[in-house]
Amino acid sequence: MEENEELNDESLENQDESQDSLVKVTGMYKDWFLDYASYVILERAVPAIEDGFKPVQRRIMHALKELDDGRYNKVANVVGHTMQYHPHGDASIADAMVQLGQKDLLIDTQGNWGNILTGDGAAASRYIEARLSKFALEVVYSPKITEWQLSYDGRKKEPVHLPVKFPLLLAQGAEGIAVGLSTKILPHNFNELIDASIKHLKGKRFTLVPDFPTAGIIDVTNYNDGMRGGKIRVRAKISTLDKNTLVINEIPYGTNTSSLIDSILKANDKGKIKIKRIEDNTAAEVEILVHLPNGISPDKTIDALYAFTACESSISPLGCVIEDNKPLFIGVKEMLERSTDNTVELLKAELEIQLGELEEQWHFASLERIFIENRIYRDIEEEETWEGVIAAIDKGLKPHISHLKREVTKDDIVRLTEIRIKRISKFDLEKAQQLIDSLEERIAETKHHLEHLVEYAIAYFKELKKKYGEGRERKSEIKIFDDIEATKVVIRNTKLYVNREEGFIGTSLKRDEYVTDCSDIDDIIVFTQKGEMMVTKVDSKVFVGKNIIHVAVFKKKDKRTTYNMIYKSMKGGPSYVKRFNVTSMTRDKIYDLAGDKASSEVLYFSANPNGEAEVVTIMLRQSGSIKKLKWDLDFSDVLIKGRSSKGNLVTKYAVKRIELKEKGVSTLKPRKIWFDDVVNRLNVDGRGELLGEFKGDDLLLVVDQKGIVKTIPPDLLTRFSDDMIVLEKWNPDKPISVVHYVGDKERFYLKRFLIENPNKEEVVIDEDPKSYLELVSTDWRPMLEVEFIKPRGKDPKPNLEVNVEEFIAVKGIKAIGNQLTPEKVKSINVLSPLPYEEPKETRTEDIEVVDEEQIDNDDTDIETKNDGSDQTTLF
């Protein structure tokens, strides 16, 4: 028993010792993880503000400089050389070098370095070659002002930062993800950065926006100076090749042709868009052909490509850099200012070193001249010791050195003793003086640059732009994007069915009643016999309420669709009529339109897409002493109000039935349409130029610079090209006047015509390649002025005024017209037209539309309890 007790005591002691030696995980996590996170942030992922390089990029550039002899080096050789400084494997170095090479700024590449447009990777590093570009050699290196440090193993020296005299970080951009930190600095245009640097040095304001090597269209409205919280939108450049073909010539930054095509195919598979096939003809430039089936609108498909594919994406910049071993969040404006100020300091340091070297050269050249011209070298012939030689030379120099800028040192005298006899014997006093004079000129010039450092820096930037700016013009086009509503451009890829009695709607009820085509992102509006309304998402099967009387795809903010309804709120109670719009709502919420009584019932209901107001016949049940059992009700007599209003009293007696007597016409005012030239789109929100008020069958007249004339419906989804020269409401009775140059006749012709085939494109110039459209006038009675070329040695012919109405009658659109003049024409201008009073259009009386949008947006069901003072009794 005693032995067992001793053993137990020993085991307890050992257990206590083992517990004392345990280390808590929290301590390890705090020390080791923070060390790792700091290393990743500072040494791998985030660039330095001083030179714009990440450490691996800086080491690659240093290795390239060490290997530089003007010839190409195998990338594998450069990678191996970089590994002397970089403590990581060759794969990471090779990848970083390929990314640098693809930016086409610092590295002159040879071989297959991949393609940023197609996403193809580079060949193996043993097959491709590189050398420093002339720009890099001029801008990145200056060993005399570079601060050096030991490499990771202490065997080599590497730069702490490279003395980059250019805003390189903004030119190349940078992206990196560290531990708990990331950076995304977008690339900017080379020439615009130089211009901005010059403006900063001159004290002027400047703005910077990104420019991408893949080109594309960008909206920088919310760029926010490249700081956190900013966003830019990027789009592919899509144009219409013909009515069944779209062509993509530029792609958004962050994508390539492969990923872009994949996103288009996925959208097609999901039914968001409808395409026939895709051709990728990309080589040096992007060309993707998207073929459309017959009957598919190209304009709508372009919008759908932006809405549902990678043809449009947003990029969120994040300006994060390293300064003094700490992350710093700054905008691109401050980055450029810091870089420009740093460039000035680097130029100053170079000039100071250059001045010191020139003054040193001048000092020794002057000493050498004194030493040889005054034959001081003969004073050392009698000297037997080195000290005596130094002293003799020092003594011989003293009478002649009063003009020198510093004292003569022993090292100077030692250098004089190293001059060879051959040089002394062939010494040319005149050449020596010329050398001293040239050094004095260079010294004065350097001092002038130092005294006017800002002007010197501006000249430096201008020289950079002159030498390297050609071919680096902006690639990305800056525009303000229009917002695309996905529900308006999505392809209706499924069918909606309804079981009215049971109260179900959905896409899987194929045995029930078909309603309409729809998409999987649509909202559906439903009305029931009880007077309830609900809006819900499309699904395979949804219960919305029994006895459905109307179901349709819901359009948000639709102020034109008007619902006409007659209802009774309780059994045996009075009947009411009301007209209302539904512009907004809460999805899946039930709205009571006929009161919340269990016995409420809809007696008549119609949905009218253009605010039509029909006439119905009301028939009452025979009861008591009712004299009039039948009369007509015209919905145009009822004002359009909110959906929660009670409406007007129809009758207090029981209604037998209601029959449609006469279909209605629209009671809405013609729709005002504007053209916004910023986004080249139509709108009804009052942005841009008012084109007019449009009824259902009104058309737009469109003429472009290629001579194409057409009339089209005012569809808000239409995209207008930049070469459009006429856009207005079309008046079928107003002639169009065109001056065009006929190539084979080498003369200008004038014609007037009416459009006889609406909704058809027609060309008003002939097919000769030299023919072109000069001007178009849509005035009723236009006047033109023709200015002639001055003949040599003669006075110019006086300008000719042309009354177009008298000059030519209205003819067919294909007619060539009448020759304007046989003389050579300098210019043709449109003058003020002759007065004309257009016939006034007879219009039906407009019915007022009461705007209830604020009530709808607040989603507050306000029941208008009409008393005798505001009720309109229709019987």
Side-chain angles (χ1 to χ4, degrees):
M1 288 292 294
E2 289 178 1
E3 289 179 2
N4 289 337
E5 287 177 1
E6 289 176 3
L7 288 171
N8 289 335
D9 291 339
E10 287 178 7
S11 63
L12 287 171
E13 289 176 5
N14 292 335
Q15 186 175 356
D16 291 338
E17 289 177 4
S18 65
Q19 287 177 348
D20 291 340
S21 64
L22 290 176
V23 179
K24 291 185 178 180
V25 175
T26 53
M28 294 166 57
Y29 181 85
K30 181 179 179 181
D31 295 336
W32 295 356
F33 185 76
L34 285 179
D35 288 345
Y36 168 71
S38 300
Y39 172 77
V40 172
I41 292 170
L42 300 177
E43 294 295 325
R44 281 171 60 179
V46 185
I49 184 65
E50 289 82 0
D51 57 6
F53 286 120
K54 297 178 183 180
V56 64
Q57 295 172 331
R58 188 179 301 115
R59 288 160 182 157
I60 289 169
M61 296 302 293
H62 177 55
L64 278 166
K65 177 62 174 167
E66 285 194 321
L67 292 170
D68 182 57
D69 58 1
R71 296 180 296 175
Y72 288 99
N73 288 284
K74 289 284 187 184
V75 168
N77 185 26
V78 179
V79 171
H81 200 81
T82 307
M83 288 179 72
Q84 297 178 90
Y85 308 100
H86 194 63
H88 292 281
D90 59 328
S92 61
I93 299 172
D95 289 344
M97 188 169 177
V98 167
Q99 289 179 19
L100 274 177
Q102 287 178 342
K103 289 173 181 175
D104 191 29
L105 190 61
L106 300 178
I107 299 178
D108 186 3
T109 61
Q110 185 168 272
N112 177 16
W113 280 67
N115 190 331
I116 59 171
L117 299 177
T118 62
D120 295 332
S125 56
R126 61 185 177 276
Y127 297 125
I128 55 178
E129 298 179 327
R131 65 182 177 189
L132 289 171
S133 67
K134 291 180 181 179
F135 173 78
L137 288 168
E138 181 170 345
V139 166
V140 175
Y141 302 100
S142 187
K144 293 175 183 176
I145 60 172
T146 302
E147 183 183 354
W148 301 90
Q149 65 183 0
L150 290 174
S151 61
Y152 73 97
D153 60 1
R155 288 189 174 93
K156 293 274 188 177
K157 282 187 177 180
E158 63 173 327
V160 177
H161 298 111
L162 287 168
V164 178
K165 301 183 290 294
F166 179 78
L168 190 64
L169 178 58
L170 293 175
Q172 293 193 133
E175 188 171 352
I177 300 174
V179 180
L181 187 72
S182 65
T183 185
K184 195 177 186 74
I185 300 166
L186 303 179
H188 294 70
N189 182 261
F190 182 92
N191 292 327
E192 290 175 7
L193 289 173
I194 291 179
D195 292 340
S197 293
I198 293 172
K199 285 182 180 178
H200 170 61
L201 291 172
K202 290 181 177 179
K204 297 180 180 179
R205 292 182 178 180
F206 62 89
T207 55
L208 287 173
V209 295
D211 185 28
F212 300 122
T214 56
I217 311 170
I218 61 173
D219 184 344
V220 295
T221 308
N222 300 314
Y223 185 42
N224 192 33
D225 198 34
M227 297 183 69
R228 189 190 329 217
K231 183 179 75 170
I232 70 166
R233 296 164 66 187
V234 292
R235 281 182 177 177
K237 195 166 190 177
I238 311 174
S239 55
T240 303
L241 195 61
D242 55 53
K243 64 179 182 179
N244 288 328
T245 311
L246 302 176
V247 59
I248 301 174
N249 295 117
E250 296 173 9
I251 59 176
Y253 182 67
T255 66
N256 53 61
T257 54
S258 299
S259 62
L260 193 68
I261 290 171
D262 286 345
S263 72
I264 295 173
L265 294 175
K266 286 179 181 177
N268 182 64
D269 292 342
K270 291 179 179 178
K272 298 288 194 299
I273 61 175
K274 189 173 287 187
I275 63 171
K276 201 173 183 180
R277 70 178 193 280
I278 295 181
E279 280 183 58
D280 186 5
N281 299 329
T282 302
E285 296 181 353
V286 173
E287 184 181 85
I288 301 172
L289 299 180
V290 182
H291 297 276
L292 308 179
N294 291 331
I296 298 296
S297 164
D299 288 341
K300 190 173 179 179
T301 304
I302 291 174
D303 284 347
L305 287 171
Y306 288 143
F308 302 115
T309 74
C311 288
E312 178 180 339
S313 60
S314 62
I315 301 173
S316 299
L318 177 56
C320 178
V321 292
I322 298 298
E323 183 186 47
D324 296 331
N325 287 328
K326 294 177 183 176
L328 175 67
F329 295 91
I330 58 174
V332 296
K333 186 174 183 291
E334 187 177 348
M335 286 184 200
L336 183 114
E337 290 172 348
R338 285 176 176 243
S339 172
T340 306
D341 294 341
N342 184 53
T343 298
V344 173
E345 291 302 314
L346 292 173
L347 291 172
K348 180 182 178 183
E350 287 183 345
L351 287 171
E352 288 174 342
I353 290 174
Q354 180 182 326
L355 179 62
E357 290 175 346
L358 289 171
E359 288 181 338
E360 192 65 22
Q361 290 177 37
W362 179 89
H363 178 79
F364 187 74
S366 300
L367 269 183
E368 185 183 56
R369 178 186 171 184
I370 294 167
F371 181 71
I372 298 174
E373 183 182 6
N374 295 288
R375 303 191 177 190
I376 295 172
Y377 54 84
R378 288 187 173 180
D379 297 344
I380 65 174
E381 292 176 353
E382 305 297 328
E383 299 295 332
E384 296 180 355
T385 62
W386 178 249
E387 289 76 10
V389 170
I390 299 297
I393 295 174
D394 188 28
K395 183 180 178 182
L397 290 173
K398 280 185 179 178
H400 310 286
I401 60 175
S402 58
H403 69 287
L404 297 182
K405 297 173 182 176
R406 69 171 176 84
E407 293 183 357
V408 178
T409 64
K410 185 178 179 181
D411 290 339
D412 294 333
I413 297 173
V414 171
R415 283 187 66 188
L416 290 174
T417 63
E418 294 172 353
I419 300 175
R420 295 184 177 184
I421 297 297
K422 185 177 181 182
R423 177 169 173 78
I424 295 174
S425 63
K426 291 188 175 183
F427 184 75
D428 188 330
L429 184 62
E430 186 176 344
K431 285 186 177 178
Q433 187 58 45
Q434 287 176 356
L435 173 63
I436 291 171
D437 291 344
S438 68
L439 287 171
E440 287 177 349
E441 288 177 3
R442 292 175 63 190
I443 287 170
E445 182 184 27
T446 306
K447 286 182 176 179
H448 179 270
H449 291 332
L450 282 168
E451 290 169 1
H452 303 83
L453 197 57
V454 172
E455 290 83 352
Y456 177 71
I458 290 172
Y460 167 80
F461 278 116
K462 287 182 177 178
E463 185 65 19
L464 279 185
K465 184 176 180 180
K466 181 181 176 182
K467 289 169 70 174
Y468 305 109
E470 187 177 348
R472 298 188 182 276
E473 293 77 17
R474 167 166 284 278
K475 293 185 176 181
S476 298
E477 182 183 357
I478 302 171
K479 274 190 174 182
I480 296 176
F481 292 171
D482 50 322
D483 293 322
I484 297 171
E485 292 185 37
T487 54
K488 290 186 177 179
V489 298
V490 67
I491 296 293
R492 308 296 180 193
N493 60 336
T494 187
K495 297 182 184 300
L496 179 70
Y497 301 91
V498 61
N499 185 325
R500 296 181 183 272
E501 187 178 349
E502 297 297 327
F504 288 97
I505 63 167
T507 58
S508 64
L509 309 176
K510 296 183 180 180
R511 295 184 179 180
D512 294 305
E513 178 188 344
Y514 165 75
V515 178
T516 184
D517 288 348
C518 65
S519 73
D520 53 6
I521 63 171
D522 277 334
D523 287 313
I524 305 300
I525 188 167
V526 181
F527 295 86
T528 67
Q529 191 71 46
K530 190 176 180 296
E532 294 177 339
M533 180 197 80
M534 185 172 77
V535 175
T536 186
K537 288 286 290 182
V538 168
D539 208 338
S540 57
K541 187 177 182 180
V542 182
F543 178 76
V544 292
K546 293 187 176 183
N547 299 315
I548 296 171
I549 58 174
H550 178 73
V551 57
V553 174
F554 176 69
K555 299 176 184 177
K556 195 175 181 182
K557 298 181 181 178
D558 181 9
K559 295 181 180 180
R560 296 188 69 83
T561 299
T562 304
Y563 301 98
N564 299 338
M565 189 169 89
I566 300 174
Y567 71 96
K568 61 177 181 179
S569 59
M570 65 180 71
K571 191 174 183 179
S575 301
Y576 296 91
V577 60
K578 66 178 180 179
R579 305 181 72 203
F580 58 92
N581 307 120
V582 180
T583 54
S584 64
M585 76 300 134
T586 300
R587 189 182 286 128
D588 296 326
K589 176 182 175 181
I590 296 175
Y591 293 87
D592 291 312
L593 306 179
D596 56 359
K597 300 287 191 299
S599 59
S600 60
E601 182 185 2
V602 175
L603 304 176
Y604 178 85
F605 183 90
S606 67
N608 307 281
N610 285 298
E612 292 85 353
E614 64 270 33
V615 177
V616 295
T617 301
I618 311 292
M619 286 172 275
L620 304 182
R621 296 184 184 278
Q622 181 67 48
S623 175
S625 59
I626 302 176
K627 295 179 180 178
K628 192 173 183 180
L629 299 175
K630 179 180 177 181
W631 76 95
D632 294 338
L633 185 154
D634 190 345
F635 276 98
S636 63
D637 296 330
V638 182
L639 295 181
I640 300 173
K641 296 185 178 180
R643 62 169 180 250
S644 57
S645 65
K646 190 170 186 178
N648 300 331
L649 181 66
V650 177
T651 177
K652 58 185 178 181
Y653 301 110
V655 175
K656 183 178 180 181
R657 68 176 182 274
I658 301 174
E659 294 179 352
L660 176 65
K661 180 179 181 181
E662 184 181 321
K663 288 187 178 181
V665 294
S666 177
T667 59
L668 300 182
K669 293 180 180 179
R671 185 169 60 162
K672 289 185 178 180
I673 295 181
W674 287 263
F675 176 69
D676 185 350
D677 59 1
V678 175
V679 297
N680 283 357
R681 300 291 281 265
L682 303 175
N683 68 89
V684 293
D685 305 319
R687 301 190 314 272
E689 177 190 357
L690 178 64
L691 298 178
E693 297 182 348
F694 288 76
K695 294 182 292 187
D697 54 352
D698 287 336
L699 298 175
L700 283 168
L701 171 65
V702 184
V703 185
D704 66 21
Q705 194 62 56
K706 295 189 286 290
I708 297 174
V709 178
K710 59 184 176 181
T711 55
I712 60 173
D715 187 350
L716 301 186
L717 297 178
T718 303
R719 310 182 72 87
F720 295 93
S721 63
D722 292 329
D723 64 351
M724 177 185 65
I725 54 177
V726 174
L727 177 65
E728 63 181 45
K729 184 180 178 182
W730 178 52
N731 185 335
D733 300 322
K734 186 165 67 168
I736 301 169
S737 305
V738 168
V739 177
H740 60 114
Y741 183 80
V742 181
D744 61 346
K745 298 181 182 295
E746 297 185 344
R747 293 286 187 274
F748 285 99
Y749 282 75
L750 171 61
K751 65 179 179 179
R752 300 183 82 203
F753 58 87
L754 294 172
I755 293 178
E756 299 170 355
N757 301 308
N759 298 312
K760 179 184 177 183
E761 284 190 3
E762 298 195 77
V763 182
V764 296
I765 61 176
D766 62 49
E767 297 179 354
D768 191 285
K770 293 185 290 184
S771 298
Y772 60 88
L773 182 67
E774 176 66 17
L775 63 84
V776 179
S777 173
T778 56
D779 293 322
W780 283 95
R781 303 178 66 195
M783 292 289 294
L784 303 179
E785 181 186 49
V786 181
E787 185 180 355
F788 298 100
I789 293 176
K790 179 183 177 182
R792 184 177 297 178
K794 297 181 181 180
D795 292 332
K797 190 175 180 180
N799 293 352
L800 172 67
E801 285 195 2
V802 179
N803 182 334
V804 175
E805 186 180 34
E806 295 177 352
F807 187 82
I808 186 171
V810 176
K811 299 182 179 180
I813 194 170
K814 294 296 184 182
I816 190 173
N818 292 350
Q819 181 177 287
L820 195 58
T821 175
E823 306 292 332
K824 290 188 176 180
V825 174
K826 182 179 180 182
S827 65
I828 304 173
N829 305 308
V830 178
L831 302 177
S832 298
L834 297 175
Y836 180 82
E837 188 171 344
E838 188 174 352
K840 291 185 178 180
E841 183 181 357
T842 57
R843 299 175 56 181
T844 57
E845 184 180 354
D846 294 328
I847 303 300
E848 180 184 3
V849 179
V850 180
D851 189 3
E852 298 287 344
E853 184 174 1
Q854 186 61 44
I855 297 176
D856 291 334
N857 287 341
D858 293 341
D859 198 35
T860 305
D861 287 336
I862 301 174
E863 184 178 7
T864 307
K865 296 186 178 180
N866 296 335
D867 55 22
S869 61
D870 65 3
Q871 281 185 357
T872 302
T873 306
L874 299 178
F875 173 65

